[in-house]
């Protein structure tokens, strides 16, 4: 399921840490194996909405990512909403 909308938010290349409590929700859903609905901004600035199971959360080169069951990797600061919850910035 994809929804394409042009967006000017979160298109900067520098990683912006996400709120700790938002990370906790991602981590909890990963542990439970729930299917999650995620709205995010792709590398072209297009807003996408996908559903999937979070298989892993990891950091690489100072950036945080999640891995979905379909193999897709999302940078955490690109996430706008997770299961209807708006993403927050910093702890």
């Amino acid at each position: 399921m994809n929804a394409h909308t042009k967006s000017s938010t979160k298109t900067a290349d520098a990683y912006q840490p996400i709120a700790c409590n938002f990370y906790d929700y991602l981590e909890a859903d990963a542990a439970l194996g729930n299917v999650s609905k995620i709205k995010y901004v792709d590398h072209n600035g297009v807003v996408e909405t996908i559903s999937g199971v979070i298989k892993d959360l990891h950091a690489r080169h100072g950036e945080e990512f999640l891995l979905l069951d379909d193999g897709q990797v999302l940078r955490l600061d690109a996430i706008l909403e997770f299961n209807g919850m708006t993403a927050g910035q910093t702890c």
Side-chain angles (χ1 to χ4, degrees), residues 1-3 36-40 48-52 68 70 72 74:
M1 155 170 49
N2 288 328
S36 302
K37 183 176 177 183
I38 303 169
K39 184 187 287 188
Y40 69 100
E48 302 275 353
T49 300
I50 57 173
S51 294
L68 293 173
D70 67 357
Q72 187 167 357
L74 299 177

Side-chain angles (χ1 to χ4, degrees), residues 49-82:
T49 300
I50 57 173
S51 294
V53 176
I54 299 172
K55 291 304 208 181
D56 187 40
L57 292 161
H58 61 276
R60 184 174 60 228
H61 306 294
E63 299 174 346
E64 298 173 295
F65 299 88
L66 65 76
L67 170 67
L68 293 173
D69 59 339
D70 67 357
Q72 187 167 357
V73 176
L74 299 177
R75 199 168 89 167
L76 298 190
D77 66 341
I79 298 173
L80 301 172
E81 289 181 9
F82 174 73

